[in-house]
Amino acid sequence: MESHTQTSTERFSKLRNLILGLQHVLAMYSGGILVPLLIGAALQFNAQQMAYLISADIFMTAVGTLFQLKGTRYTGIAMPVVIGSAVQTVSPLINIGSTLGIGAMYGATIAAGVFVFLIAGLFSRLRAFFPPVVTGSLITVIGFTLIPVGFQNWGGGDLEAKSFGSLTNLSIGLVTVLIILLFNLFAKGFAKSIAILLGIVLGTVFAGLLGQVSLQPVAEASWFHMPTPFFLATPTFHWSAMVTMMIVALTSMMESTGVYFALADLTGRKLTNEDMAKGYRAEGLAVILSGIFNTFPYSTFSQNVGVVRLSGVKTKRPIYYAVLILLLIGLLPKFGALATIIPSAVLGGAMIVLFGTIGVQGITILKQVDFDSERNLMIAGVSIGAAIGVTVYPQIFQHLPELVKLVIQNSVVITSILAVLLNIVLPGREKEVM
């Protein structure tokens, strides 16, 4: 009888962990597919390429998460973390892909992954170089400078199309925003944490009722496809693209640092510099593989911290189930093709909320900053102001060398450079702890 009870308990535990794993997948899924959808659409990938891109991206997300879960001597933070495509890579990768070619995106991504792996130990000892005035400015820029991309998608995506800004597109985007707002305001617990995903799904249903959804990409997609190295393009290596993505990779490392500490608080673990370095190295390996398998760079997802907090389950077991689910999804291009049927207007509505929220998170971090200090005021004002300026008028740098232009025409890069540099050179910085 005792053995039967024990077996039932084990089954219940496995079922609970499976359900929690599915919750982690749902929490990260909208953010996970958004980056490949935006970049693929901007670079005019066809339906087959998009289906592969999303499937491979989800598959490699699972592989990268495994690197983090399983701690080794050199890699893995060994906490309940999930990685996914980093939203801060959207603008620089589109810029690289449209100017130097798709192969240059993947060459720069591989270089960035190697860079992250090599500097992990050093970066783990430089926390004092990234105080709230630096990280808050950066996250604010990441969110708000992507808002125009959201508005373009809300209008239909193609600025030259006669249907751009049509009442149909505007109504689809508006309904998507309203759905997300309603779930955020009135839903509880897990339903609230996946409000963006629910908005995308229900917004697509609404668009389908208006005849704006075609299932043809799903019908044409294959049932099974193993991610293949260099399937979309062979990497090419350009210094300007590599430097750009290395700087962007530093912003992902800053973001991951915040997630590591948030999870450490939840799980009661005291993180050492070596723990942090192992987490960064795992992320670097995942980014290298994302370039090889033609997906996009990854960072640790903050959305999943919310699932850990809501569930109260602080072990890694549910994440292993999430990895299994992601691996299965990643092998099925038809599942990936489902994401490609989402109308641009739906994506635009969701992006307005998502990117706006990210920007406000940056402002929340900046609330910790003493702006009575002229030093902090200058760091935030100059770095954020320059980012907004270069977003609106990137052509201000058109007469500079191509290598320099490609690097500094990106808002995330220019904010990172200015905020970190000003924090170092302006007098009054507290002595960093090495």
Side-chain angles (χ1 to χ4, degrees):
M1 182 71 178
E2 186 177 338
S3 176
H4 176 72
T5 303
Q6 187 176 2
T7 303
S8 299
T9 303
E10 288 174 354
R11 286 175 180 168
F12 175 76
S13 178
K14 289 179 180 178
L15 178 61
R16 183 188 67 164
N17 286 328
L18 176 61
I19 292 171
L20 287 173
L22 179 60
Q23 286 185 336
H24 277 286
V25 171
L26 292 174
M28 63 77 64
Y29 197 75
S30 57
I33 64 173
L34 193 60
V35 172
L37 279 174
L38 289 175
I39 297 174
L43 298 178
Q44 299 181 331
F45 284 14
N46 61 37
Q48 180 191 15
Q49 289 173 317
M50 289 292 285
Y52 170 81
L53 183 61
I54 293 167
S55 297
D57 189 74
I58 293 299
F59 187 91
M60 298 315 299
T61 292
V63 174
T65 300
L66 271 179
F67 288 158
Q68 287 286 29
L69 290 175
K70 189 68 176 174
T72 69
R73 184 177 176 183
Y74 298 106
T75 61
I77 196 73
M79 289 197 297
V81 302
V82 176
I83 69 166
S85 296
V87 70
Q88 56 265 40
T89 65
V90 171
S91 294
L93 285 175
I94 290 174
N95 193 19
I96 292 168
S98 59
T99 56
L100 298 175
I102 295 172
M105 290 194 310
Y106 296 121
T109 297
I110 293 170
V114 173
F115 174 71
V116 170
F117 188 90
L118 293 178
I119 70 160
L122 174 63
F123 192 87
S124 68
R125 298 193 295 271
L126 299 180
R127 300 177 198 172
F129 282 99
F130 308 104
V133 69
V134 173
T135 56
S137 298
L138 181 60
I139 293 171
T140 300
V141 164
I142 289 171
F144 288 153
T145 57
L146 283 170
I147 294 282
V149 180
F151 260 85
Q152 182 175 337
N153 276 276
W154 190 336
D158 185 359
L159 293 169
E160 305 300 323
K162 291 183 179 179
S163 61
F164 184 81
S166 67
L167 288 178
T168 299
N169 286 331
L170 294 180
S171 62
I172 290 171
L174 180 61
V175 166
T176 303
V177 171
L178 290 175
I179 291 169
I180 295 171
L181 290 178
L182 288 173
F183 275 104
N184 263 300
L185 291 172
F186 300 110
K188 303 293 183 183
F190 180 66
K192 183 175 182 177
S193 72
I194 61 168
I196 297 285
L197 179 63
L198 292 172
I200 289 174
V201 171
L202 295 177
T204 301
V205 171
F206 175 72
L209 295 176
L210 299 180
Q212 300 299 305
V213 176
S214 170
L215 294 175
Q216 186 175 350
V218 180
E220 292 177 350
S222 59
W223 281 102
F224 178 86
H225 192 288
M226 181 66 74
T228 307
F230 316 129
F231 182 79
L232 296 175
T234 301
T236 59
F237 298 91
H238 303 263
W239 277 110
S240 56
M242 290 190 291
V243 170
T244 298
M245 293 313 297
M246 286 175 188
I247 295 172
V248 173
L250 289 173
T251 71
S252 296
M253 295 173 79
M254 293 181 213
E255 180 183 11
S256 295
T257 301
V259 178
Y260 296 159
F261 279 114
L263 282 170
D265 287 341
L266 281 174
T267 58
R269 177 174 165 184
K270 184 173 176 61
L271 289 177
T272 65
N273 285 344
E274 183 53 33
D275 291 329
M276 305 287 285
K278 288 162 69 172
Y280 300 140
R281 289 191 198 106
E283 196 168 299
L285 287 177
V287 174
I288 292 169
L289 286 181
S290 74
I292 292 172
F293 286 89
N294 290 170
T295 63
F296 300 120
Y298 300 117
S299 64
T300 306
F301 263 23
S302 58
Q303 293 94 316
N304 297 87
V305 178
V307 178
V308 174
R309 184 180 288 113
L310 284 168
S311 69
V313 177
K314 302 168 184 177
T315 70
K316 297 183 291 180
R317 292 189 190 94
I319 311 298
Y320 281 109
Y321 281 92
V323 166
L324 180 61
I325 294 169
L326 290 169
L327 287 172
L328 291 173
I329 292 173
L331 293 172
L332 304 172
K334 279 194 182 294
F335 202 97
L338 280 173
T340 69
I341 70 172
I342 302 169
S344 292
V346 171
L347 283 177
M351 288 162 64
I352 296 301
V353 180
L354 177 62
F355 296 152
T357 303
I358 291 171
V360 173
Q361 285 174 350
I363 293 173
T364 303
I365 294 172
L366 289 174
K367 283 175 62 179
Q368 308 169 30
V369 177
D370 177 18
F371 281 116
D372 288 333
S373 163
E374 289 293 329
R375 180 181 186 279
N376 290 333
L377 191 62
M378 287 298 99
I379 293 171
V382 172
S383 60
I384 294 174
I388 293 172
V390 80
T391 299
V392 178
Y393 291 113
Q395 59 268 40
I396 193 173
F397 298 123
Q398 62 185 326
H399 297 298
L400 294 179
E402 198 65 33
L403 171 64
V404 178
K405 185 168 66 175
L406 186 62
V407 173
I408 66 172
Q409 276 186 331
N410 181 263
S411 58
V412 174
V413 172
I414 202 166
T415 302
S416 303
I417 293 172
L418 287 174
V420 173
L421 185 62
L422 289 172
N423 181 54
I424 292 171
V425 302
L426 292 182
R429 179 171 63 93
E430 294 181 8
K431 187 177 180 181
E432 62 271 11
V433 179
M434 298 297 287

